[in-house]
Amino acid sequence: MLSPASAAVVRATLPVVRAHAVEITGEFYSSMFAAQPELLDLFNQGNQADGRQKLALAAAVAGFAEHLLAGEAVPFGQIAERIAHKHVSLGVRAEQYPIVGHHLLTAVGTVLGDAVTPEIAAAWQEVYWLLACRLIAAEARLYERGDLDPADLWRRWRVAKRLDEAVDTVSFTLVPDDGGAVPDFAPGQYVSVAVDLPGGHRQPRQYSLSQGPGRGSLRITVRRLRGRAGAPDGAVSNHLHDRVTEDDVLLLGPPAGETTLDPGDGPVLLVSAGIGITPMAAVLDHLARTQPTRRVILAHADRSPAHHALRRECAQTATGLAEADELRWYENDHDAHSRPGLMDVDALPLPPGTTAYLCGPLLFMHAIRAGLIRRGLPAEHIRYEVFGPGMLDRD
């Protein structure tokens, strides 16, 4: 908890900090990378370039300050869990938090200038360290649970199979290069993949595991990111598509991610769009192998059948379930087994006791979530996976 004196200062200054938060986090990243260039290899430079990372950090810091002031009236648990899993997938270490804290608090002073009195600086330092201690503790538990050493996290995996899945989409089946054990994971989780790009920079990206556990391998399914409106192409996705083939070696972090299949036997609604099919394919595979009598609805939206990754595999997997519905929407080239246009949330079956899992573009998930709540599905029964930094807007 914030000390009473700091709480009063944070409450008074939060509107100003929130108004300048993106400017502060932008200054923070610039100054930190200038002073600690080795950290460039830890951060997704694509998210840096398009501004999503500074927006996510700004929202997290302001959200945590609000949580400290308001308690569970402004919940923060899901955000903290998401950040901790992401950090563990990248090998973030406790000793790196003072570096971040120094540059973040310096950025506050740089942006707000003389308005930052010693009292204000001390109060926001307290906010930062309360957040840091919460994340360090959560990450330590995850490292211990997985028997992981964050200083020696990355492991060599060999590409056992490469398969073109759809337009601009390819799957890589991976096995440990040292012949060791494949770690267990929960369906819905992801792994970090680190690649050495031309120019000498190493860059990590997270990719959902697109098959369930227990197969003696891991599989990722990667869509090529093509830049639009002047934005550059995705550096890592294009590298994987253009340069990585069978018998090549990739560096992987451990499975991580908080959006996983809940235990139980109630109906499951899997809703995806585009490459958001990947965690749903893993959940579907797991259910077919472990709970084939569980009621499952698989709903997917895409540009066309040719763009629908894992389409045939998911259809085949669904035949192994006693009670499964598969619904598809295509913007182009729909057929007798699909519907035209965008997904219609009112057409989704909602048996009593359903838990829904969403993955796809943010606007898509926001619309589907709002529609499911309108139809009576409780918000706590809706789980979602966001590709990239940030959280789904719940307003």
Side-chain angles (χ1 to χ4, degrees):
M1 294 178 63
L2 272 174
S3 64
S6 291
V9 172
V10 170
R11 183 172 287 106
T13 57
L14 179 57
V16 175
V17 171
R18 188 190 294 112
H20 292 86
V22 175
E23 187 180 356
I24 290 168
T25 54
E27 170 63 26
F28 154 71
Y29 282 118
S30 295
S31 64
M32 184 176 67
F33 290 146
Q36 306 280 339
E38 70 278 6
L39 293 179
L40 286 165
D41 292 347
L42 190 64
F43 287 84
N44 182 328
Q45 294 305 302
N47 291 337
Q48 293 292 328
D50 65 16
R52 287 190 296 166
Q53 189 67 57
K54 65 181 181 181
L55 287 170
L57 178 59
V61 172
F64 184 68
E66 291 183 70
H67 168 71
L68 290 174
L69 296 174
E72 288 309 313
V74 180
F76 194 77
Q78 187 176 5
I79 299 174
E81 187 179 12
R82 173 174 167 78
I83 295 171
H85 275 272
K86 184 65 68 70
H87 284 180
V88 166
S89 80
L90 294 166
V92 170
R93 305 190 302 274
E95 59 264 30
Q96 292 169 321
Y97 277 88
I99 298 171
V100 172
H102 167 73
H103 288 285
L104 184 58
L105 294 168
T106 298
V108 173
T110 300
V111 171
L112 299 183
D114 293 340
V116 182
T117 65
E119 293 77 16
I120 291 173
W124 281 95
Q125 185 175 46
E126 189 174 337
V127 170
Y128 172 76
W129 277 108
L130 286 171
L131 174 58
C133 289
R134 178 167 180 169
L135 294 176
I136 289 169
E139 290 154 22
R141 289 191 292 271
L142 291 173
Y143 285 130
E144 183 178 11
R145 187 186 308 165
D147 193 23
L148 300 169
D149 178 0
D152 186 24
L153 191 81
W154 298 98
R155 187 177 174 192
R156 289 166 58 89
W157 289 72
R158 181 174 57 83
V159 178
K161 182 179 180 181
R162 172 183 167 137
L163 179 65
D164 290 332
E165 296 283 3
V167 173
D168 279 345
T169 307
V170 63
S171 285
F172 298 94
T173 299
L174 305 160
V175 295
D177 191 48
D178 60 7
V182 174
D184 193 19
F185 64 93
Q189 290 193 302
Y190 56 80
V191 290
S192 288
V193 178
V195 301
D196 293 318
L197 299 171
H201 286 299
R202 175 170 290 180
Q203 274 289 279
R205 296 292 187 273
Q206 286 75 41
Y207 295 106
S208 293
L209 294 163
S210 60
Q211 265 185 334
R215 292 189 171 274
S217 61
L218 301 179
R219 189 181 71 178
I220 59 173
T221 301
V222 180
R223 176 156 291 176
R224 184 192 294 271
L225 180 59
R226 297 188 182 274
R228 291 183 290 182
D233 293 340
V236 175
S237 68
N238 279 268
H239 176 90
L240 293 172
H241 273 256
D242 296 338
R243 296 175 179 267
V244 176
T245 187
E246 291 179 6
D247 287 328
D248 285 344
V249 171
L250 294 172
L251 292 177
L252 264 65
E258 78 288 358
T259 306
T260 58
L261 179 66
D262 286 337
D265 56 8
V268 175
L269 171 62
L270 306 175
V271 183
S272 57
I275 200 60
I277 188 66
T278 50
M280 305 308 175
V283 171
L284 186 70
D285 177 40
H286 179 74
L287 288 171
R289 298 174 68 198
T290 62
Q291 293 181 294
T293 61
R294 194 167 179 180
R295 176 85 161 93
V296 179
I297 301 104
L298 179 67
H300 182 73
D302 223 311
R303 292 168 59 186
S304 71
H307 289 83
H308 184 169
L310 307 169
R311 175 170 59 97
R312 293 182 179 85
E313 177 181 304
C314 287
Q316 179 62 36
T317 302
T319 64
L321 292 159
E323 195 174 1
D325 290 325
E326 187 182 7
L327 296 86
R328 305 172 184 170
W329 281 261
Y330 297 129
E331 296 177 50
N332 303 297
D333 302 328
H334 73 280
D335 54 26
H337 303 289
S338 62
R339 307 180 187 202
L342 304 179
M343 184 178 291
D344 178 8
V345 68
D346 291 320
L348 300 176
L350 272 185
T354 291
T355 300
Y357 299 82
L358 317 181
C359 190
L362 283 173
L363 290 177
F364 166 82
M365 290 196 293
H366 186 88
I368 296 299
R369 181 180 182 275
L372 292 175
I373 291 173
R374 173 178 54 78
R375 292 184 58 195
L377 188 64
E380 60 269 23
H381 288 187
I382 304 174
R383 308 286 303 280
Y384 60 88
E385 176 64 32
V386 177
F387 289 164
M391 298 288 285
L392 181 64
D393 182 4
R394 290 173 171 238
D395 293 336

